[in-house]
Amino acid sequence: MTTPSRIALALAGVGKIARDQHIPSCAEGADFDITVAISRNGRIDGADNFTSYDEFLEKRRDIRAISLCTPPDVRFEMAKKAIASGFDVLMEKPPAATIGEAEALRELAEKAGVVLFATWHSRFANGVEPARQWLDGKTIRKVEITWKEDVRRWHPGQAWIWEAGGFGVFDPGINALSILTAIIPGQTIVEKASLAFPENRQQPIAASLKMKSAEGAPINAEFDWRQEGPQTWDIVVETNSGLLRLAKGGAELYIDGELQVEGPDREYARIYSRFAELIRSRRSDADFQPLRLVADAFLTGERHTVEAFIE
């Protein structure tokens, strides 16, 4: 039973990310109880489980907050209905399939007076906020992003990521872009991109982006889903006062080679703490710059066909 200090939450989409992150984070945290689950295939023990989203909206009007963990191609309609029903809404990344959808949801939430939280989980990694603080006031000379992982290891059997609207390598790559836009002030500009599409897929397996900061500092990013062996999630920022490196997806922060910050993964625990804070203060947090950078990469990108990807 939810206590007065805790918030009853519905969770839509009981897949891998929900089981790995959302469910344990809520169970271990101080703010939310998952009292309802909506999924065609998954269930949560102890929750009121629905297979129909519309049935849930009709029967559980007592729930006022929902976490959407579905693939982005169906999230717009689900979020739109939730907002119309008066729910405060948390959206797993990427928050929508297009910029138009994302901005429409932001406007709808504002008009309805509900909270909209577009999460970027990598922004909540241990080293990201300390990195932003260290960079504040410094001159940024260059940024290099290397984000390479094995798609077979991290996204097994997830065919939707290869379809139109599935993002391909930008599904993990947008995590790097979310960190970049959190620690570098102003708007980041995509100048050109090179996108590698397997001959049997609709989304890229690798991408190279040439960007620049609002102040003109060059920013280069390499994304690849074909990495074997050790996985690489690094962001290196050269400044007038030293070299900053975020490693392991932002979990570790180094300044001039010296480890400054490390610790256990608390990204999703911090996401839910932030959602509770937003609900209680009745404020939204809906930044779509990482999504815009992905869209700009497709707009400016040269398409290259590479060998077929067979899982």
Side-chain angles (χ1 to χ4, degrees), residues 275-299:
F275 190 32
E277 175 191 332
L278 293 170
I279 289 173
R280 289 166 178 148
S281 63
R282 306 311 302 161
R283 294 180 295 116
S284 290
D285 182 352
D287 171 31
F288 302 129
Q289 190 178 183
L291 183 62
R292 192 263 300 164
L293 293 178
V294 172
D296 287 353
F298 278 101
L299 283 170

mmCIF file with all atom_site columns, all heavy atoms in Angstrom, residues 275-299:
data_model
loop_
_atom_site.group_PDB
_atom_site.id
_atom_site.type_symbol
_atom_site.label_atom_id
_atom_site.label_alt_id
_atom_site.label_comp_id
_atom_site.label_asym_id
_atom_site.label_entity_id
_atom_site.label_seq_id
_atom_site.pdbx_PDB_ins_code
_atom_site.Cartn_x
_atom_site.Cartn_y
_atom_site.Cartn_z
_atom_site.occupancy
_atom_site.B_iso_or_equiv
_atom_site.pdbx_formal_charge
_atom_site.auth_seq_id
_atom_site.auth_comp_id
_atom_site.auth_asym_id
_atom_site.auth_atom_id
_atom_site.pdbx_PDB_model_num
ATOM 1   N N   . PHE A 1 275 ? 11.916 13.245 -10.613 1.00 0.00 ? 275 PHE A N   1
ATOM 2   C CA  . PHE A 1 275 ? 10.497 13.223 -10.975 1.00 0.00 ? 275 PHE A CA  1
ATOM 3   C C   . PHE A 1 275 ? 9.636  13.583 -9.767  1.00 0.00 ? 275 PHE A C   1
ATOM 4   O O   . PHE A 1 275 ? 8.686  14.367 -9.873  1.00 0.00 ? 275 PHE A O   1
ATOM 5   C CB  . PHE A 1 275 ? 10.128 11.841 -11.513 1.00 0.00 ? 275 PHE A CB  1
ATOM 6   C CG  . PHE A 1 275 ? 8.766  11.752 -12.147 1.00 0.00 ? 275 PHE A CG  1
ATOM 7   C CD1 . PHE A 1 275 ? 8.199  12.820 -12.817 1.00 0.00 ? 275 PHE A CD1 1
ATOM 8   C CD2 . PHE A 1 275 ? 8.043  10.562 -12.082 1.00 0.00 ? 275 PHE A CD2 1
ATOM 9   C CE1 . PHE A 1 275 ? 6.945  12.730 -13.415 1.00 0.00 ? 275 PHE A CE1 1
ATOM 10  C CE2 . PHE A 1 275 ? 6.797  10.448 -12.667 1.00 0.00 ? 275 PHE A CE2 1
ATOM 11  C CZ  . PHE A 1 275 ? 6.229  11.533 -13.327 1.00 0.00 ? 275 PHE A CZ  1
ATOM 12  N N   . ALA A 1 276 ? 9.966  13.028 -8.613  1.00 0.00 ? 276 ALA A N   1
ATOM 13  C CA  . ALA A 1 276 ? 9.216  13.350 -7.400  1.00 0.00 ? 276 ALA A CA  1
ATOM 14  C C   . ALA A 1 276 ? 9.332  14.835 -7.066  1.00 0.00 ? 276 ALA A C   1
ATOM 15  O O   . ALA A 1 276 ? 8.338  15.485 -6.688  1.00 0.00 ? 276 ALA A O   1
ATOM 16  C CB  . ALA A 1 276 ? 9.719  12.501 -6.239  1.00 0.00 ? 276 ALA A CB  1
ATOM 17  N N   . GLU A 1 277 ? 10.528 15.377 -7.211  1.00 0.00 ? 277 GLU A N   1
ATOM 18  C CA  . GLU A 1 277 ? 10.748 16.811 -6.965  1.00 0.00 ? 277 GLU A CA  1
ATOM 19  C C   . GLU A 1 277 ? 9.898  17.662 -7.906  1.00 0.00 ? 277 GLU A C   1
ATOM 20  O O   . GLU A 1 277 ? 9.288  18.651 -7.492  1.00 0.00 ? 277 GLU A O   1
ATOM 21  C CB  . GLU A 1 277 ? 12.229 17.133 -7.146  1.00 0.00 ? 277 GLU A CB  1
ATOM 22  C CG  . GLU A 1 277 ? 12.600 18.589 -7.055  1.00 0.00 ? 277 GLU A CG  1
ATOM 23  C CD  . GLU A 1 277 ? 14.030 18.848 -7.507  1.00 0.00 ? 277 GLU A CD  1
ATOM 24  O OE1 . GLU A 1 277 ? 14.878 17.948 -7.383  1.00 0.00 ? 277 GLU A OE1 1
ATOM 25  O OE2 . GLU A 1 277 ? 14.296 19.967 -7.974  1.00 0.00 ? 277 GLU A OE2 1
ATOM 26  N N   . LEU A 1 278 ? 9.844  17.269 -9.189  1.00 0.00 ? 278 LEU A N   1
ATOM 27  C CA  . LEU A 1 278 ? 9.061  18.016 -10.174 1.00 0.00 ? 278 LEU A CA  1
ATOM 28  C C   . LEU A 1 278 ? 7.569  17.934 -9.852  1.00 0.00 ? 278 LEU A C   1
ATOM 29  O O   . LEU A 1 278 ? 6.838  18.930 -9.959  1.00 0.00 ? 278 LEU A O   1
ATOM 30  C CB  . LEU A 1 278 ? 9.329  17.484 -11.576 1.00 0.00 ? 278 LEU A CB  1
ATOM 31  C CG  . LEU A 1 278 ? 10.732 17.713 -12.133 1.00 0.00 ? 278 LEU A CG  1
ATOM 32  C CD1 . LEU A 1 278 ? 10.929 16.929 -13.417 1.00 0.00 ? 278 LEU A CD1 1
ATOM 33  C CD2 . LEU A 1 278 ? 10.996 19.195 -12.371 1.00 0.00 ? 278 LEU A CD2 1
ATOM 34  N N   . ILE A 1 279 ? 7.094  16.751 -9.477  1.00 0.00 ? 279 ILE A N   1
ATOM 35  C CA  . ILE A 1 279 ? 5.676  16.588 -9.146  1.00 0.00 ? 279 ILE A CA  1
ATOM 36  C C   . ILE A 1 279 ? 5.301  17.461 -7.959  1.00 0.00 ? 279 ILE A C   1
ATOM 37  O O   . ILE A 1 279 ? 4.275  18.149 -7.972  1.00 0.00 ? 279 ILE A O   1
ATOM 38  C CB  . ILE A 1 279 ? 5.370  15.098 -8.860  1.00 0.00 ? 279 ILE A CB  1
ATOM 39  C CG1 . ILE A 1 279 ? 5.427  14.284 -10.166 1.00 0.00 ? 279 ILE A CG1 1
ATOM 40  C CG2 . ILE A 1 279 ? 3.999  14.946 -8.197  1.00 0.00 ? 279 ILE A CG2 1
ATOM 41  C CD1 . ILE A 1 279 ? 5.304  12.789 -9.965  1.00 0.00 ? 279 ILE A CD1 1
ATOM 42  N N   . ARG A 1 280 ? 6.134  17.446 -6.935  1.00 0.00 ? 280 ARG A N   1
ATOM 43  C CA  . ARG A 1 280 ? 5.802  18.178 -5.711  1.00 0.00 ? 280 ARG A CA  1
ATOM 44  C C   . ARG A 1 280 ? 5.916  19.692 -5.892  1.00 0.00 ? 280 ARG A C   1
ATOM 45  O O   . ARG A 1 280 ? 5.230  20.456 -5.212  1.00 0.00 ? 280 ARG A O   1
ATOM 46  C CB  . ARG A 1 280 ? 6.684  17.683 -4.568  1.00 0.00 ? 280 ARG A CB  1
ATOM 47  C CG  . ARG A 1 280 ? 6.280  16.276 -4.131  1.00 0.00 ? 280 ARG A CG  1
ATOM 48  C CD  . ARG A 1 280 ? 7.288  15.592 -3.248  1.00 0.00 ? 280 ARG A CD  1
ATOM 49  N NE  . ARG A 1 280 ? 6.792  14.271 -2.846  1.00 0.00 ? 280 ARG A NE  1
ATOM 50  C CZ  . ARG A 1 280 ? 7.550  13.209 -2.622  1.00 0.00 ? 280 ARG A CZ  1
ATOM 51  N NH1 . ARG A 1 280 ? 8.879  13.310 -2.770  1.00 0.00 ? 280 ARG A NH1 1
ATOM 52  N NH2 . ARG A 1 280 ? 7.026  12.060 -2.261  1.00 0.00 ? 280 ARG A NH2 1
ATOM 53  N N   . SER A 1 281 ? 6.740  20.123 -6.824  1.00 0.00 ? 281 SER A N   1
ATOM 54  C CA  . SER A 1 281 ? 6.873  21.557 -7.084  1.00 0.00 ? 281 SER A CA  1
ATOM 55  C C   . SER A 1 281 ? 6.045  22.006 -8.288  1.00 0.00 ? 281 SER A C   1
ATOM 56  O O   . SER A 1 281 ? 6.023  23.201 -8.606  1.00 0.00 ? 281 SER A O   1
ATOM 57  C CB  . SER A 1 281 ? 8.344  21.917 -7.319  1.00 0.00 ? 281 SER A CB  1
ATOM 58  O OG  . SER A 1 281 ? 8.861  21.262 -8.468  1.00 0.00 ? 281 SER A OG  1
ATOM 59  N N   . ARG A 1 282 ? 5.396  21.034 -8.976  1.00 0.00 ? 282 ARG A N   1
ATOM 60  C CA  . ARG A 1 282 ? 4.545  21.295 -10.148 1.00 0.00 ? 282 ARG A CA  1
ATOM 61  C C   . ARG A 1 282 ? 5.315  22.010 -11.246 1.00 0.00 ? 282 ARG A C   1
ATOM 62  O O   . ARG A 1 282 ? 4.874  23.004 -11.826 1.00 0.00 ? 282 ARG A O   1
ATOM 63  C CB  . ARG A 1 282 ? 3.284  22.105 -9.773  1.00 0.00 ? 282 ARG A CB  1
ATOM 64  C CG  . ARG A 1 282 ? 2.438  21.532 -8.651  1.00 0.00 ? 282 ARG A CG  1
ATOM 65  C CD  . ARG A 1 282 ? 2.124  20.065 -8.832  1.00 0.00 ? 282 ARG A CD  1
ATOM 66  N NE  . ARG A 1 282 ? 1.430  19.792 -10.099 1.00 0.00 ? 282 ARG A NE  1
ATOM 67  C CZ  . ARG A 1 282 ? 1.377  18.573 -10.659 1.00 0.00 ? 282 ARG A CZ  1
ATOM 68  N NH1 . ARG A 1 282 ? 2.018  17.553 -10.093 1.00 0.00 ? 282 ARG A NH1 1
ATOM 69  N NH2 . ARG A 1 282 ? 0.728  18.385 -11.779 1.00 0.00 ? 282 ARG A NH2 1
ATOM 70  N N   . ARG A 1 283 ? 6.488  21.473 -11.577 1.00 0.00 ? 283 ARG A N   1
ATOM 71  C CA  . ARG A 1 283 ? 7.305  22.007 -12.667 1.00 0.00 ? 283 ARG A CA  1
ATOM 72  C C   . ARG A 1 283 ? 7.635  20.889 -13.648 1.00 0.00 ? 283 ARG A C   1
ATOM 73  O O   . ARG A 1 283 ? 7.720  19.727 -13.272 1.00 0.00 ? 283 ARG A O   1
ATOM 74  C CB  . ARG A 1 283 ? 8.609  22.608 -12.126 1.00 0.00 ? 283 ARG A CB  1
ATOM 75  C CG  . ARG A 1 283 ? 8.420  23.824 -11.264 1.00 0.00 ? 283 ARG A CG  1
ATOM 76  C CD  . ARG A 1 283 ? 9.747  24.383 -10.758 1.00 0.00 ? 283 ARG A CD  1
ATOM 77  N NE  . ARG A 1 283 ? 10.413 23.450 -9.857  1.00 0.00 ? 283 ARG A NE  1
ATOM 78  C CZ  . ARG A 1 283 ? 11.584 22.871 -10.085 1.00 0.00 ? 283 ARG A CZ  1
ATOM 79  N NH1 . ARG A 1 283 ? 12.236 23.103 -11.221 1.00 0.00 ? 283 ARG A NH1 1
ATOM 80  N NH2 . ARG A 1 283 ? 12.128 22.061 -9.194  1.00 0.00 ? 283 ARG A NH2 1
ATOM 81  N N   . SER A 1 284 ? 7.838  21.250 -14.905 1.00 0.00 ? 284 SER A N   1
ATOM 82  C CA  . SER A 1 284 ? 8.238  20.295 -15.928 1.00 0.00 ? 284 SER A CA  1
ATOM 83  C C   . SER A 1 284 ? 9.728  20.430 -16.232 1.00 0.00 ? 284 SER A C   1
ATOM 84  O O   . SER A 1 284 ? 10.347 21.461 -15.949 1.00 0.00 ? 284 SER A O   1
ATOM 85  C CB  . SER A 1 284 ? 7.433  20.492 -17.217 1.00 0.00 ? 284 SER A CB  1
ATOM 86  O OG  . SER A 1 284 ? 6.089  20.092 -17.036 1.00 0.00 ? 284 SER A OG  1
ATOM 87  N N   . ASP A 1 285 ? 10.282 19.376 -16.827 1.00 0.00 ? 285 ASP A N   1
ATOM 88  C CA  . ASP A 1 285 ? 11.675 19.364 -17.271 1.00 0.00 ? 285 ASP A CA  1
ATOM 89  C C   . ASP A 1 285 ? 11.692 18.630 -18.605 1.00 0.00 ? 285 ASP A C   1
ATOM 90  O O   . ASP A 1 285 ? 11.678 17.401 -18.648 1.00 0.00 ? 285 ASP A O   1
ATOM 91  C CB  . ASP A 1 285 ? 12.544 18.649 -16.232 1.00 0.00 ? 285 ASP A CB  1
ATOM 92  C CG  . ASP A 1 285 ? 14.033 18.644 -16.606 1.00 0.00 ? 285 ASP A CG  1
ATOM 93  O OD1 . ASP A 1 285 ? 14.364 19.055 -17.726 1.00 0.00 ? 285 ASP A OD1 1
ATOM 94  O OD2 . ASP A 1 285 ? 14.842 18.199 -15.759 1.00 0.00 ? 285 ASP A OD2 1
ATOM 95  N N   . ALA A 1 286 ? 11.667 19.401 -19.690 1.00 0.00 ? 286 ALA A N   1
ATOM 96  C CA  . ALA A 1 286 ? 11.522 18.808 -21.017 1.00 0.00 ? 286 ALA A CA  1
ATOM 97  C C   . ALA A 1 286 ? 12.483 19.476 -22.001 1.00 0.00 ? 286 ALA A C   1
ATOM 98  O O   . ALA A 1 286 ? 12.105 20.366 -22.761 1.00 0.00 ? 286 ALA A O   1
ATOM 99  C CB  . ALA A 1 286 ? 10.082 18.932 -21.516 1.00 0.00 ? 286 ALA A CB  1
ATOM 100 N N   . ASP A 1 287 ? 13.733 19.038 -21.957 1.00 0.00 ? 287 ASP A N   1
ATOM 101 C CA  . ASP A 1 287 ? 14.776 19.541 -22.850 1.00 0.00 ? 287 ASP A CA  1
ATOM 102 C C   . ASP A 1 287 ? 14.942 18.551 -23.996 1.00 0.00 ? 287 ASP A C   1
ATOM 103 O O   . ASP A 1 287 ? 15.217 17.373 -23.765 1.00 0.00 ? 287 ASP A O   1
ATOM 104 C CB  . ASP A 1 287 ? 16.088 19.696 -22.081 1.00 0.00 ? 287 ASP A CB  1
ATOM 105 C CG  . ASP A 1 287 ? 17.260 20.011 -23.005 1.00 0.00 ? 287 ASP A CG  1
ATOM 106 O OD1 . ASP A 1 287 ? 17.025 20.670 -24.048 1.00 0.00 ? 287 ASP A OD1 1
ATOM 107 O OD2 . ASP A 1 287 ? 18.390 19.594 -22.701 1.00 0.00 ? 287 ASP A OD2 1
ATOM 108 N N   . PHE A 1 288 ? 14.809 19.023 -25.227 1.00 0.00 ? 288 PHE A N   1
ATOM 109 C CA  . PHE A 1 288 ? 14.861 18.131 -26.383 1.00 0.00 ? 288 PHE A CA  1
ATOM 110 C C   . PHE A 1 288 ? 16.089 18.366 -27.263 1.00 0.00 ? 288 PHE A C   1
ATOM 111 O O   . PHE A 1 288 ? 16.130 17.908 -28.407 1.00 0.00 ? 288 PHE A O   1
ATOM 112 C CB  . PHE A 1 288 ? 13.589 18.279 -27.216 1.00 0.00 ? 288 PHE A CB  1
ATOM 113 C CG  . PHE A 1 288 ? 12.329 17.994 -26.437 1.00 0.00 ? 288 PHE A CG  1
ATOM 114 C CD1 . PHE A 1 288 ? 11.276 18.894 -26.434 1.00 0.00 ? 288 PHE A CD1 1
ATOM 115 C CD2 . PHE A 1 288 ? 12.211 16.829 -25.695 1.00 0.00 ? 288 PHE A CD2 1
ATOM 116 C CE1 . PHE A 1 288 ? 10.120 18.630 -25.712 1.00 0.00 ? 288 PHE A CE1 1
ATOM 117 C CE2 . PHE A 1 288 ? 11.058 16.553 -24.971 1.00 0.00 ? 288 PHE A CE2 1
ATOM 118 C CZ  . PHE A 1 288 ? 10.016 17.458 -24.981 1.00 0.00 ? 288 PHE A CZ  1
ATOM 119 N N   . GLN A 1 289 ? 17.107 19.073 -26.758 1.00 0.00 ? 289 GLN A N   1
ATOM 120 C CA  . GLN A 1 289 ? 18.272 19.338 -27.591 1.00 0.00 ? 289 GLN A CA  1
ATOM 121 C C   . GLN A 1 289 ? 18.980 18.063 -28.065 1.00 0.00 ? 289 GLN A C   1
ATOM 122 O O   . GLN A 1 289 ? 19.390 17.986 -29.231 1.00 0.00 ? 289 GLN A O   1
ATOM 123 C CB  . GLN A 1 289 ? 19.270 20.274 -26.898 1.00 0.00 ? 289 GLN A CB  1
ATOM 124 C CG  . GLN A 1 289 ? 20.364 20.729 -27.863 1.00 0.00 ? 289 GLN A CG  1
ATOM 125 C CD  . GLN A 1 289 ? 21.381 21.689 -27.289 1.00 0.00 ? 289 GLN A CD  1
ATOM 126 O OE1 . GLN A 1 289 ? 22.260 22.135 -28.020 1.00 0.00 ? 289 GLN A OE1 1
ATOM 127 N NE2 . GLN A 1 289 ? 21.314 22.017 -26.025 1.00 0.00 ? 289 GLN A NE2 1
ATOM 128 N N   . PRO A 1 290 ? 19.141 17.023 -27.233 1.00 0.00 ? 290 PRO A N   1
ATOM 129 C CA  . PRO A 1 290 ? 19.769 15.798 -27.744 1.00 0.00 ? 290 PRO A CA  1
ATOM 130 C C   . PRO A 1 290 ? 19.007 15.190 -28.918 1.00 0.00 ? 290 PRO A C   1
ATOM 131 O O   . PRO A 1 290 ? 19.619 14.716 -29.893 1.00 0.00 ? 290 PRO A O   1
ATOM 132 C CB  . PRO A 1 290 ? 19.765 14.865 -26.528 1.00 0.00 ? 290 PRO A CB  1
ATOM 133 C CG  . PRO A 1 290 ? 19.746 15.788 -25.355 1.00 0.00 ? 290 PRO A CG  1
ATOM 134 C CD  . PRO A 1 290 ? 18.889 16.938 -25.777 1.00 0.00 ? 290 PRO A CD  1
ATOM 135 N N   . LEU A 1 291 ? 17.676 15.211 -28.850 1.00 0.00 ? 291 LEU A N   1
ATOM 136 C CA  . LEU A 1 291 ? 16.863 14.692 -29.945 1.00 0.00 ? 291 LEU A CA  1
ATOM 137 C C   . LEU A 1 291 ? 17.043 15.540 -31.198 1.00 0.00 ? 291 LEU A C   1
ATOM 138 O O   . LEU A 1 291 ? 17.117 15.022 -32.317 1.00 0.00 ? 291 LEU A O   1
ATOM 139 C CB  . LEU A 1 291 ? 15.396 14.664 -29.516 1.00 0.00 ? 291 LEU A CB  1
ATOM 140 C CG  . LEU A 1 291 ? 14.393 14.087 -30.520 1.00 0.00 ? 291 LEU A CG  1
ATOM 141 C CD1 . LEU A 1 291 ? 14.701 12.633 -30.823 1.00 0.00 ? 291 LEU A CD1 1
ATOM 142 C CD2 . LEU A 1 291 ? 12.966 14.239 -29.973 1.00 0.00 ? 291 LEU A CD2 1
ATOM 143 N N   . ARG A 1 292 ? 17.147 16.861 -31.020 1.00 0.00 ? 292 ARG A N   1
ATOM 144 C CA  . ARG A 1 292 ? 17.354 17.746 -32.162 1.00 0.00 ? 292 ARG A CA  1
ATOM 145 C C   . ARG A 1 292 ? 18.687 17.474 -32.839 1.00 0.00 ? 292 ARG A C   1
ATOM 146 O O   . ARG A 1 292 ? 18.805 17.502 -34.077 1.00 0.00 ? 292 ARG A O   1
ATOM 147 C CB  . ARG A 1 292 ? 17.265 19.198 -31.691 1.00 0.00 ? 292 ARG A CB  1
ATOM 148 C CG  . ARG A 1 292 ? 17.174 20.223 -32.812 1.00 0.00 ? 292 ARG A CG  1
ATOM 149 C CD  . ARG A 1 292 ? 18.517 20.831 -33.160 1.00 0.00 ? 292 ARG A CD  1
ATOM 150 N NE  . ARG A 1 292 ? 19.123 21.515 -32.036 1.00 0.00 ? 292 ARG A NE  1
ATOM 151 C CZ  . ARG A 1 292 ? 20.398 21.852 -32.009 1.00 0.00 ? 292 ARG A CZ  1
ATOM 152 N NH1 . ARG A 1 292 ? 21.213 21.538 -33.014 1.00 0.00 ? 292 ARG A NH1 1
ATOM 153 N NH2 . ARG A 1 292 ? 20.911 22.476 -30.950 1.00 0.00 ? 292 ARG A NH2 1
ATOM 154 N N   . LEU A 1 293 ? 19.719 17.147 -32.069 1.00 0.00 ? 293 LEU A N   1
ATOM 155 C CA  . LEU A 1 293 ? 21.019 16.831 -32.658 1.00 0.00 ? 293 LEU A CA  1
ATOM 156 C C   . LEU A 1 293 ? 20.957 15.571 -33.501 1.00 0.00 ? 293 LEU A C   1
ATOM 157 O O   . LEU A 1 293 ? 21.600 15.479 -34.558 1.00 0.00 ? 293 LEU A O   1
ATOM 158 C CB  . LEU A 1 293 ? 22.075 16.690 -31.565 1.00 0.00 ? 293 LEU A CB  1
ATOM 159 C CG  . LEU A 1 293 ? 22.433 17.968 -30.805 1.00 0.00 ? 293 LEU A CG  1
ATOM 160 C CD1 . LEU A 1 293 ? 23.454 17.664 -29.711 1.00 0.00 ? 293 LEU A CD1 1
ATOM 161 C CD2 . LEU A 1 293 ? 22.969 19.040 -31.740 1.00 0.00 ? 293 LEU A CD2 1
ATOM 162 N N   . VAL A 1 294 ? 20.203 14.575 -33.049 1.00 0.00 ? 294 VAL A N   1
ATOM 163 C CA  . VAL A 1 294 ? 20.033 13.362 -33.857 1.00 0.00 ? 294 VAL A CA  1
ATOM 164 C C   . VAL A 1 294 ? 19.311 13.699 -35.158 1.00 0.00 ? 294 VAL A C   1
ATOM 165 O O   . VAL A 1 294 ? 19.714 13.253 -36.245 1.00 0.00 ? 294 VAL A O   1
ATOM 166 C CB  . VAL A 1 294 ? 19.266 12.292 -33.066 1.00 0.00 ? 294 VAL A CB  1
ATOM 167 C CG1 . VAL A 1 294 ? 18.918 11.103 -33.963 1.00 0.00 ? 294 VAL A CG1 1
ATOM 168 C CG2 . VAL A 1 294 ? 20.083 11.815 -31.871 1.00 0.00 ? 294 VAL A CG2 1
ATOM 169 N N   . ALA A 1 295 ? 18.249 14.492 -35.066 1.00 0.00 ? 295 ALA A N   1
ATOM 170 C CA  . ALA A 1 295 ? 17.527 14.889 -36.275 1.00 0.00 ? 295 ALA A CA  1
ATOM 171 C C   . ALA A 1 295 ? 18.440 15.652 -37.229 1.00 0.00 ? 295 ALA A C   1
ATOM 172 O O   . ALA A 1 295 ? 18.422 15.407 -38.453 1.00 0.00 ? 295 ALA A O   1
ATOM 173 C CB  . ALA A 1 295 ? 16.322 15.747 -35.891 1.00 0.00 ? 295 ALA A CB  1
ATOM 174 N N   . ASP A 1 296 ? 19.268 16.540 -36.694 1.00 0.00 ? 296 ASP A N   1
ATOM 175 C CA  . ASP A 1 296 ? 20.175 17.305 -37.539 1.00 0.00 ? 296 ASP A CA  1
ATOM 176 C C   . ASP A 1 296 ? 21.240 16.410 -38.169 1.00 0.00 ? 296 ASP A C   1
ATOM 177 O O   . ASP A 1 296 ? 21.698 16.671 -39.290 1.00 0.00 ? 296 ASP A O   1
ATOM 178 C CB  . ASP A 1 296 ? 20.842 18.410 -36.722 1.00 0.00 ? 296 ASP A CB  1
ATOM 179 C CG  . ASP A 1 296 ? 19.891 19.555 -36.393 1.00 0.00 ? 296 ASP A CG  1
ATOM 180 O OD1 . ASP A 1 296 ? 18.759 19.544 -36.910 1.00 0.00 ? 296 ASP A OD1 1
ATOM 181 O OD2 . ASP A 1 296 ? 20.275 20.449 -35.620 1.00 0.00 ? 296 ASP A OD2 1
ATOM 182 N N   . ALA A 1 297 ? 21.636 15.345 -37.466 1.00 0.00 ? 297 ALA A N   1
ATOM 183 C CA  . ALA A 1 297 ? 22.600 14.410 -38.040 1.00 0.00 ? 297 ALA A CA  1
ATOM 184 C C   . ALA A 1 297 ? 22.007 13.700 -39.259 1.00 0.00 ? 297 ALA A C   1
ATOM 185 O O   . ALA A 1 297 ? 22.696 13.509 -40.275 1.00 0.00 ? 297 ALA A O   1
ATOM 186 C CB  . ALA A 1 297 ? 23.022 13.384 -36.993 1.00 0.00 ? 297 ALA A CB  1
ATOM 187 N N   . PHE A 1 298 ? 20.741 13.342 -39.180 1.00 0.00 ? 298 PHE A N   1
ATOM 188 C CA  . PHE A 1 298 ? 20.096 12.732 -40.339 1.00 0.00 ? 298 PHE A CA  1
ATOM 189 C C   . PHE A 1 298 ? 19.926 13.747 -41.466 1.00 0.00 ? 298 PHE A C   1
ATOM 190 O O   . PHE A 1 298 ? 20.069 13.409 -42.642 1.00 0.00 ? 298 PHE A O   1
ATOM 191 C CB  . PHE A 1 298 ? 18.744 12.138 -39.948 1.00 0.00 ? 298 PHE A CB  1
ATOM 192 C CG  . PHE A 1 298 ? 18.829 10.784 -39.314 1.00 0.00 ? 298 PHE A CG  1
ATOM 193 C CD1 . PHE A 1 298 ? 18.737 10.635 -37.948 1.00 0.00 ? 298 PHE A CD1 1
ATOM 194 C CD2 . PHE A 1 298 ? 19.011 9.648  -40.086 1.00 0.00 ? 298 PHE A CD2 1
ATOM 195 C CE1 . PHE A 1 298 ? 18.817 9.387  -37.350 1.00 0.00 ? 298 PHE A CE1 1
ATOM 196 C CE2 . PHE A 1 298 ? 19.092 8.390  -39.510 1.00 0.00 ? 298 PHE A CE2 1
ATOM 197 C CZ  . PHE A 1 298 ? 18.998 8.253  -38.137 1.00 0.00 ? 298 PHE A CZ  1
ATOM 198 N N   . LEU A 1 299 ? 19.640 15.005 -41.114 1.00 0.00 ? 299 LEU A N   1
ATOM 199 C CA  . LEU A 1 299 ? 19.459 16.033 -42.147 1.00 0.00 ? 299 LEU A CA  1
ATOM 200 C C   . LEU A 1 299 ? 20.758 16.333 -42.884 1.00 0.00 ? 299 LEU A C   1
ATOM 201 O O   . LEU A 1 299 ? 20.748 16.597 -44.098 1.00 0.00 ? 299 LEU A O   1
ATOM 202 C CB  . LEU A 1 299 ? 18.921 17.317 -41.506 1.00 0.00 ? 299 LEU A CB  1
ATOM 203 C CG  . LEU A 1 299 ? 17.440 17.341 -41.143 1.00 0.00 ? 299 LEU A CG  1
ATOM 204 C CD1 . LEU A 1 299 ? 17.123 18.570 -40.303 1.00 0.00 ? 299 LEU A CD1 1
ATOM 205 C CD2 . LEU A 1 299 ? 16.575 17.305 -42.394 1.00 0.00 ? 299 LEU A CD2 1
#
